[in-house]
Amino acid sequence: MEKQITNVAVYVRKSREDEDEQALNRQQSVLIDHCEKNSWNWELFKEVGSSQDLDRPELQNMLEKVKLFHYDAIVVADQDRLSRNVVHFGQIKMILMNAGCFVVTPSKVFDYSKDSDDMFSDFMSVIAKSEYQQIKKRLVRGTKQSAREGNYLGKKVPIGYSYNRETKRLEKSEDAEIMRRLFELYMNGMSTKDIAFKFEHEGVMTSVGMKWTPAGVSRLLNNVVYAGHSLYGKTKQYKKDGKRVTEKTSEEEQILVKNTHEGIVSLEEWELVQTIKEKRNSRPPSLRLGKHKFSGLIRCSKCGAIHSFQTSRYKRKRISSCQTRHYNEDMTEYFVCDNKGANISEFEKLFYAHFSEYVDQLEKYVETIKGADLPEQTDNRAEQIDSKRKQIQKLEQQVKKTQQGFLMEIFSESEAQDQIKQLKGQIAMLEGQIGELEQQEDSSEVDALEQTLNKMKAFLEGSDDMDEREANEILREFVDAIVYTKTDNDMNIKIIMKDLQ
């Protein structure tokens, strides 16, 4: 061997947390003994991680030191401890070759700058990949068999159950009565929205601190675990472009194991709930609209709820009637808000008339101030920027809460993604406004109002040609809410403008 080995890195790895810790310690002991016998100075790198993952922290830490020529060799039990992925191993090998660093196993020293060692290592890498595929297949078969035997394999224990480590089965917990009541309320006619409101109003608490939302209640009602069955493999994860992707699996890929534990409801009751849900959710696609110019802005004058939109059978866009349920204190009775719906075209005529009137008044106000001999107003940009940054902090906290809600299975993946997308959109808008404020030169109050006035005029002139989402974002800069009332014959609105100072 041409090069003398003095300083080495000892790398040990196991694939999963649940693997035998003693085996990892034995691997470490053998390698350190090998270093001591050869009087090598060694540094230990030890971790848990997949052989298919190149971004293991300790591996990357070690490779960074290799690049700086800290070591003459890396000591491992086998080459596949570094990687079983052929492409990743090729990248690791290139780093080692560039640094003149060997790989030492208890049976061989590899110098990848030599053709013979390079070829032999490639051959060993192909074998390691084949072994990995076989191990993966055995693990999948073992998981399926364990599931079929009734063992609970889920990562999270469903609300209403606890996990018995000895029997590997689910058992009813103190939350079981809450879940039983949830199903009964739904079967007796309450909606997911009403149940969520009722539980929040009553302060119903679970051992995991469940936050009651309509989406969360719906997800619980869908889970067949409450009928005594277990369903595995509903989602699968893989990496794409360096990012971890989660997607739903087909029914053929899933494992349904019946009667694995005592159900909180009977199978007949669970199936009844699914039938009710299907009937309630069977709205035709024509009633489902995306983002609208006035989305989130139209508030019912009678109860404060936000009106949604629909498409009529004549293909006309409409504001939906309110129909929000309002319960008495003991939640035994409710009334339905009777604020009616209307065609968007009628609403828009009234809105633009009011908005134009407001713009005219603002223009007169600006002209009056400009014509008056008043002392120059101090610039309040710092306060505006501070206020918007505080709003961003609150939105970022909501993003974290939404992410936590997904991890706790309160939100589905698509719901969490939609919610986070909306929140990040608001953050981006606020950041843009902060950027504009920071770039502005010192200006008086009248200058700021004049800029806003010009934006409003531009909106009035061009909103018909704008994308619905774009128009909605611009409107939200000026409008806080549009208070809406509709009776049989009359429609009234009041535009609540945001503070423009």
Side-chain angles (χ1 to χ4, degrees):
M1 188 166 52
E2 298 175 1
K3 178 181 175 182
Q4 183 178 357
I5 297 177
T6 305
N7 300 308
V8 300
V10 175
Y11 182 77
V12 294
R13 174 186 65 81
K14 67 174 183 175
S15 299
R16 304 187 311 278
E17 288 285 359
D18 58 357
E19 279 190 79
D20 184 10
E21 187 70 27
Q22 292 300 318
L24 187 64
N25 291 335
R26 285 194 297 271
Q27 181 187 146
Q28 174 183 325
S29 179
V30 168
L31 297 180
I32 292 175
D33 283 347
H34 191 64
C35 293
E36 296 291 350
K37 288 177 183 177
N38 288 280
S39 300
W40 294 338
N41 301 317
W42 55 270
E43 182 177 1
L44 178 65
F45 296 87
K46 182 178 181 179
E47 65 186 339
V48 178
S50 169
S51 63
Q52 300 296 304
D53 184 5
L54 186 60
D55 296 327
R56 283 168 267 148
E58 286 296 280
L59 174 66
Q60 289 301 323
N61 185 19
M62 180 181 69
L63 292 177
E64 286 302 316
K65 290 189 174 184
V66 168
K67 293 175 185 177
L68 297 174
F69 306 99
H70 282 219
Y71 311 115
D72 304 311
I74 293 174
V75 182
V76 289
D78 290 293
Q79 273 192 142
D80 62 16
R81 293 297 89 193
L82 295 174
S83 179
R84 277 194 170 107
N85 183 296
V86 175
V87 174
H88 292 167
F89 185 71
Q91 295 172 2
I92 293 170
K93 194 159 61 171
M94 186 60 67
I95 292 172
L96 298 175
M97 288 172 63
N98 290 338
C101 186
F102 300 155
V103 168
V104 178
T105 70
S107 59
K108 182 172 175 57
V109 176
F110 290 90
D111 178 1
Y112 298 131
S113 63
K114 294 180 178 179
D115 290 342
S116 58
D117 282 2
D118 186 27
M119 186 181 298
F120 184 67
S121 72
D122 287 344
F123 177 68
M124 296 295 292
S125 183
V126 170
I127 293 175
K129 181 180 179 181
S130 175
E131 288 178 346
Y132 171 76
Q133 296 297 338
Q134 293 302 317
I135 291 169
K136 190 174 179 181
K137 288 178 181 178
R138 287 197 295 271
L139 284 172
V140 170
R141 285 199 300 269
T143 299
K144 289 182 177 180
Q145 184 57 38
S146 182
R148 291 190 178 103
E149 291 172 359
N151 297 329
Y152 184 71
L153 306 177
K155 293 180 180 178
K156 296 184 186 302
V157 178
I159 296 172
Y161 288 101
S162 60
Y163 178 68
N164 187 320
R165 293 184 179 277
E166 293 183 3
T167 63
K168 298 183 180 179
R169 303 294 178 98
L170 292 179
E171 297 176 351
K172 286 184 180 180
S173 71
E174 58 189 19
D175 296 329
E177 287 300 317
I178 295 174
M179 292 307 305
R180 175 70 202 176
R181 184 183 173 209
L182 183 146
F183 273 86
E184 287 177 346
L185 289 172
Y186 192 82
M187 287 187 287
N188 289 333
M190 288 190 76
S191 67
T192 55
K193 181 178 179 181
D194 295 336
I195 294 171
F197 180 83
K198 183 178 180 66
F199 280 12
E200 283 291 317
H201 179 79
E202 293 179 358
V204 175
M205 295 290 293
T206 66
S207 57
V208 296
M210 171 73 177
K211 179 174 175 58
W212 299 107
T213 65
V217 170
S218 179
R219 229 174 357 266
L220 291 170
L221 292 169
N222 282 344
N223 199 337
V224 73
V225 74
Y226 296 110
H229 302 339
S230 295
L231 183 64
Y232 303 107
K234 291 182 285 186
T235 61
K236 59 183 177 183
Q237 292 186 337
Y238 57 90
K239 280 195 173 183
K240 184 177 181 181
D241 300 328
K243 295 182 179 179
R244 189 172 294 279
V245 178
T246 302
E247 66 178 32
K248 292 182 179 179
T249 57
S250 63
E251 288 188 11
E252 292 76 20
E253 295 176 277
Q254 298 170 4
I255 305 171
L256 176 63
V257 188
K258 296 183 178 181
N259 304 317
T260 56
H261 54 274
E262 184 181 359
I264 289 176
V265 297
S266 67
L267 180 60
E268 292 73 22
E269 288 172 322
W270 184 83
E271 289 176 343
L272 173 61
V273 165
Q274 307 317 304
T275 301
I276 295 171
K277 281 173 66 64
E278 187 175 353
K279 287 181 179 178
R280 291 182 183 178
N281 295 332
S282 59
R283 290 195 309 159
S286 60
L287 295 180
R288 301 170 192 160
L289 287 184
K291 195 81 169 180
H292 188 272
K293 185 186 302 181
F294 299 104
S295 291
L297 292 173
I298 303 176
R299 287 194 174 272
C300 175
S301 65
K302 297 186 177 184
C303 70
I306 295 177
H307 280 265
S308 57
F309 304 90
Q310 62 181 179
T311 300
S312 72
R313 58 181 174 175
Y314 303 109
K315 306 299 180 183
R316 296 173 184 167
K317 291 182 178 179
R318 288 182 52 81
I319 300 171
S320 301
S321 56
C322 186
Q323 295 188 329
T324 302
R325 293 183 181 185
H326 299 276
Y327 288 86
N328 59 10
E329 289 189 4
D330 58 6
M331 299 292 291
T332 56
E333 297 179 354
Y334 65 86
F335 71 90
V336 177
C337 183
D338 60 357
N339 205 9
K340 297 184 179 298
N343 288 330
I344 284 289
S345 57
E346 297 176 49
F347 176 86
E348 283 188 333
K349 288 178 184 177
L350 195 57
F351 170 80
Y352 281 115
H354 280 68
F355 194 70
S356 297
E357 185 178 343
Y358 178 86
V359 170
D360 290 341
Q361 291 174 355
L362 182 61
E363 188 169 26
K364 290 176 183 177
Y365 174 68
V366 170
E367 291 300 326
T368 301
I369 294 178
K370 289 172 72 175
D373 186 16
L374 298 173
E376 188 174 343
Q377 303 275 339
T378 57
D379 180 30
N380 66 349
R381 282 180 301 149
E383 293 180 6
Q384 292 182 55
I385 290 172
D386 184 59
S387 173
K388 292 181 186 299
R389 282 179 175 155
K390 287 179 180 177
Q391 291 178 54
I392 288 174
Q393 288 177 352
K394 290 181 180 179
L395 290 169
E396 287 173 341
Q397 290 173 356
Q398 290 180 42
V399 170
K400 290 180 180 178
K401 288 180 180 178
T402 304
Q403 291 169 335
Q404 291 169 354
F406 169 63
L407 293 174
M408 295 177 65
E409 298 184 348
I410 296 171
F411 301 117
S412 69
E413 182 180 5
S414 59
E415 289 168 342
Q417 287 176 343
D418 289 343
Q419 180 73 2
I420 290 171
K421 185 177 180 181
Q422 290 179 19
L423 292 169
K424 287 187 174 180
Q426 295 177 46
I427 290 171
M429 184 178 71
L430 287 167
E431 287 174 340
Q433 293 172 0
I434 289 173
E436 290 178 7
L437 287 168
E438 288 176 338
Q439 291 174 9
Q440 288 176 7
E441 297 179 359
D442 289 343
S443 61
S444 64
E445 176 189 356
V446 69
D447 293 330
L449 285 174
E450 199 163 22
Q451 289 176 10
T452 301
L453 178 62
N454 291 334
K455 285 184 180 180
M456 289 181 171
K457 286 181 176 179
F459 176 78
L460 281 173
E461 293 170 2
S463 62
D464 288 342
D465 299 324
M466 288 181 185
D467 174 78
E468 294 282 340
R469 289 180 177 272
E470 181 185 1
N472 182 259
E473 289 174 3
I474 293 173
L475 262 183
R476 285 176 178 272
E477 289 187 42
F478 315 128
V479 178
D480 190 51
I482 307 167
V483 181
Y484 163 86
T485 310
K486 179 69 166 68
T487 59
D488 290 330
N489 302 315
D490 297 313
M491 183 193 307
N492 293 296
I493 67 170
K494 180 180 179 182
I495 302 176
I496 310 297
M497 305 298 293
K498 290 185 176 179
D499 185 6
L500 303 178
Q501 303 300 319

